[in-house]
Amino acid sequence: MKAVPCSTTAPLSIAAWRQPAQTVWQVGMLIAAWWLADAAAAALHLPFSGGVVGLFVLVALLLAGWVRPSAIELGANWLLANMLLFFIPLVVSVVQFTQLLKSQGLMLFVNIGLGFASVMLATALTVEWVCRYERKLRLNKLLRQRAAREQA
């Protein structure tokens, strides 16, 4: 058996605190970006929320290459993993407004269902479009490489 040198334990202890620290940092940056986008949406009197503005700005920054996906990946994954916690106020609201649900519950659920279906459909179509676009880019790159090899 090979002996493991003691020096290999030091990087593990550093890495043990680095990922949580990066996650906290990235979540903080995402919250700050949302806050700034919300302030911008309010200042510009936009008809949609700051979250939507922030989403478009973040997508633009990612597509332009100014923000690497790895720069927000840990924070975004943490937020997605804990998303259920953000819906606890919704559950409390449902309990408090049972009379509203009795009188207009069907219309509310239809609207929620249509909104949910719209978001899922838009997400699916966007992902499909991006995948096709990336495949097209890769195919064009391969064809250029093949043409360059044939000319050489």
Side-chain angles (χ1 to χ4, degrees):
M1 265 177 90
K2 252 184 170 177
V4 178
C6 292
S7 64
T8 59
T9 58
L12 293 176
S13 63
I14 292 171
W17 66 266
R18 181 171 280 166
Q19 185 171 358
Q22 284 180 333
T23 302
V24 169
W25 172 257
Q26 290 177 9
V27 168
M29 289 292 100
L30 288 169
I31 290 171
W34 167 80
W35 183 79
L36 288 171
D38 195 47
L44 297 172
H45 305 292
L46 296 176
F48 37 86
S49 72
V52 174
V53 173
L55 175 69
F56 284 122
V57 169
L58 187 57
V59 167
L61 291 172
L62 286 166
L63 289 174
W66 291 351
V67 173
R68 293 184 329 260
S70 63
I72 60 169
E73 182 177 17
L74 291 173
N77 285 340
W78 184 86
L79 287 170
L80 286 171
N82 294 295
M83 190 178 285
L84 183 59
L85 295 174
F86 303 124
F87 290 103
I88 290 174
L90 175 68
V91 174
V92 172
S93 298
V94 167
V95 171
Q96 287 181 342
F97 297 104
T98 53
Q99 187 60 35
L100 176 67
L101 287 175
K102 287 179 183 176
S103 64
Q104 297 180 353
L106 180 62
M107 185 56 74
L108 286 171
F109 286 121
V110 167
N111 287 332
I112 289 170
L114 288 174
F116 178 77
S118 299
V119 168
M120 289 294 125
L121 183 62
T123 301
L125 292 173
T126 302
V127 168
E128 183 65 27
W129 178 79
V130 168
C131 287
R132 285 183 182 186
Y133 180 72
E134 286 182 346
R135 275 189 235 126
K136 182 181 171 184
L137 288 177
R138 274 186 266 142
L139 178 63
N140 288 339
K141 181 180 177 181
L142 289 172
L143 290 174
R144 283 192 310 270
Q145 288 174 347
R146 185 179 292 168
R149 270 187 266 144
E150 288 175 359
Q151 288 179 355

